[in-house]
Amino acid sequence: MRRLLPLARRLVMMIGGEAMQSAFHFALNILLLHRLSAESYGLFALAMVMGGVAITYVRSLTAVPASIWIGRESGRHRAHAYDVSFASGAFVLSVAISVLTILLMLAWDATEIGSVGIFVLFWSFRSHLRVSNFALGRPGLVALSDLGFTAFSVLATGFVVWRGGDLLHETFLALAVTNALGVAIMLLGMRRPIRFTLRASMRRRWLGLWRSVRWSALSATTVTLQGQAMALLVASFAGPAAYAPIAAVLVFFTPLRIVAGAIANMVQPEIARLVRRDDAAVWRLMGLWTLGLGLVGLAYGGLVLAVLPFVKSDVLAHADGWLIGLFSWAIYFTTMLYVMPRITLESLGDFGTVALTTGIAAAFGMALIVALLLLAPPDWVLAGAAASEILVAVLSWAAVSRRLASREAGRPFSLRFLSGRSHG
């Protein structure tokens, strides 16, 4: 019971922060859905996708490793050293992906390139700081940052709408400023000098961690391909306007992703501690949270499908909203079912297994999506994305089951789990 109370407190704070941000992003999407053209809304949605790509890479390469290694360290000095190293890496990575986003926006003939790039930079870096501060035992600071970000985002976007200027450009500029504010709150709340370093000691620490981090890099790439390739493929084949109705329906289901991400960030440090000594407790946590997430996914998805026919917008005028909603529900519901095995594999350091499972699913899903784009209307591409997620869920549970069984039997685990063999 003593262990459950801190976990419950962290859950309330993390879900509360995620809920605030999710509610704001949801309301913003609904607002822009009714105020932007299909082309502009498609560009907005694609920029949000690139922000999601940045967060995926930052989470895989810096936030999750930071959470794992900080969670394993009992000494404050060593935990601080890992925090500085991973935060420095997260900032460099955020800058790199923001530059890539600018280049893609240029390719799509967007004019909002500067504000979008800054937005992606601070959104992804804030994501890293949220995870690392939870790992360092500072949930209150994260909650304060989330509150500041959400409150000022509401005020800033409200002012943008009232002002009546370039809605898309000024919205991204407002989001860039408010994400930067969220970063500043966390950095100032740490009550220690802000350090950024690329010196030899950090490089040595990264080289020491590279064996695990390199798999995390591959995992981030395969996760990006598996989860975001659909948006980029639709935009490449048919343009941003064709992606707009898909994005408009997907946004109704994003609270499920936010909840799943919050639970993952909250539970991962606990699993990172348990995997070193208590496999039975790991199984209990995985089962409990998977059941809870599954029930939430079923209830919420049914509610959204019931409401979708009543949503009226020019963006959805020429699309089958209910069909897109059904496939969207399948995608997000399945995602919630494999959150626990994924973070368990990450906590075990099996980034290679995560990369393998998502890589297989990404290749399968991309091939199916391209075929659907060539043979059917864009509304059907989500069927390929849903099939890809189902494959990830099956492979993830198979991998974690075999990994824990191998530990119990005292055998080394092989990435060739798909063939049913282990070596040793």
Side-chain angles (χ1 to χ4, degrees):
M1 179 61 70
R2 286 197 301 267
R3 180 179 293 174
L4 288 176
L5 289 176
L7 198 62
R9 178 171 171 266
R10 291 174 63 196
L11 174 62
V12 170
M13 288 193 172
M14 180 165 268
I15 291 293
E18 295 286 4
M20 285 188 294
Q21 296 173 83
S22 179
F24 165 70
H25 284 129
F26 182 83
L28 178 62
N29 270 275
I30 297 301
L31 173 68
L32 296 180
L33 178 62
H34 290 89
R35 287 180 175 261
L36 294 176
S37 66
E39 182 79 16
S40 294
Y41 186 80
L43 286 171
F44 170 77
L46 288 166
M48 297 297 286
V49 166
M50 289 307 300
V53 169
I55 289 174
T56 297
Y57 271 96
V58 166
R59 181 181 183 276
S60 296
L61 292 179
T62 63
V64 168
S67 178
I68 292 170
W69 270 284
I70 290 172
R72 291 175 179 176
E73 292 297 336
S74 56
R76 180 176 297 180
H77 177 73
R78 285 182 61 83
H80 175 60
Y82 279 117
D83 182 33
V84 171
S85 296
F86 282 114
S88 299
F91 186 76
V92 171
L93 187 58
S94 298
V95 170
I97 299 178
S98 71
V99 171
L100 175 61
T101 302
I102 288 173
L103 295 176
L104 285 174
M105 297 301 285
L106 283 172
W108 289 320
D109 296 324
T111 59
E112 300 79 12
I113 55 174
S115 55
V116 171
I118 298 170
F119 158 67
V120 169
L121 190 161
F122 283 110
W123 190 22
S124 54
F125 186 58
R126 186 169 71 88
S127 174
H128 168 86
L129 291 178
R130 295 184 78 256
V131 176
S132 64
N133 274 290
F134 268 105
L136 289 164
R138 300 178 182 132
L141 178 59
V142 177
L144 179 62
S145 173
D146 291 342
L147 179 61
F149 162 76
T150 305
F152 280 96
S153 292
V154 170
L155 293 174
T157 53
F159 175 76
V160 166
V161 172
W162 172 80
R163 184 175 178 276
D166 185 340
L167 184 56
L168 187 59
H169 169 70
E170 293 183 9
T171 294
F172 277 122
L173 191 59
L175 291 176
V177 171
T178 54
N179 273 285
L181 176 65
V183 168
I185 291 172
M186 279 187 279
L187 291 178
L188 293 174
M190 292 178 185
R191 296 182 180 178
R192 64 168 189 251
I194 298 170
R195 292 179 58 197
F196 173 84
T197 178
L198 296 175
R199 62 186 183 181
S201 60
M202 193 206 84
R203 293 196 298 270
R204 286 195 300 270
R205 188 172 293 114
W206 268 89
L207 286 174
L209 299 172
W210 177 242
R211 191 169 186 177
S212 293
V213 172
R214 66 183 179 183
W215 282 114
S216 194
L218 180 59
S219 173
T221 301
T222 56
V223 166
T224 298
L225 290 173
Q226 191 265 331
Q228 309 294 350
M230 180 267 298
L232 302 179
L233 285 171
V234 172
S236 300
F237 273 77
Y243 179 63
I246 296 173
V249 175
L250 283 172
V251 74
F252 286 94
F253 292 91
T254 51
L256 293 180
R257 177 180 56 79
I258 297 297
V259 169
I263 296 297
N265 292 338
M266 182 203 69
V267 176
Q268 188 150 37
E270 180 69 11
I271 287 184
R273 286 188 287 270
L274 289 174
V275 293
R276 305 180 73 181
R277 60 180 184 271
D278 193 345
D279 287 354
V282 172
W283 275 114
R284 285 195 297 271
L285 271 181
M286 284 198 298
L288 176 65
W289 287 112
T290 300
L291 176 62
L293 288 169
L295 292 175
V296 169
L298 284 173
Y300 182 85
L303 177 63
V304 171
L305 286 182
V307 169
L308 270 177
F310 301 99
V311 177
K312 305 300 180 184
S313 168
D314 291 340
V315 174
L316 295 171
H318 305 291
D320 188 341
W322 196 87
L323 179 67
I324 297 174
L326 187 63
F327 288 137
S328 299
W329 184 16
I331 290 170
Y332 282 100
F333 175 68
T334 306
T335 299
M336 299 182 84
L337 297 183
Y338 67 75
V339 167
M340 289 300 119
R342 179 188 291 278
I343 66 172
T344 300
L345 289 168
E346 290 174 342
S347 298
L348 287 163
D350 288 337
F351 296 106
T353 302
V354 175
L356 179 61
T357 57
T358 52
I360 292 170
F364 171 73
M366 288 176 66
L368 190 52
I369 287 169
V370 170
L372 288 168
L373 281 169
L374 294 173
L375 300 173
D379 300 357
W380 283 87
V381 299
L382 288 176
S388 178
E389 295 289 353
I390 292 170
L391 185 56
V392 173
V394 172
L395 296 180
S396 296
W397 278 104
V400 79
S401 298
R402 189 158 179 80
R403 178 64 171 89
L404 294 177
S406 297
R407 276 162 49 104
E408 185 177 349
R411 298 190 307 268
F413 177 67
S414 170
L415 287 179
R416 294 175 294 173
F417 67 89
L418 292 174
S419 65
R421 295 173 292 173
S422 63
H423 65 281

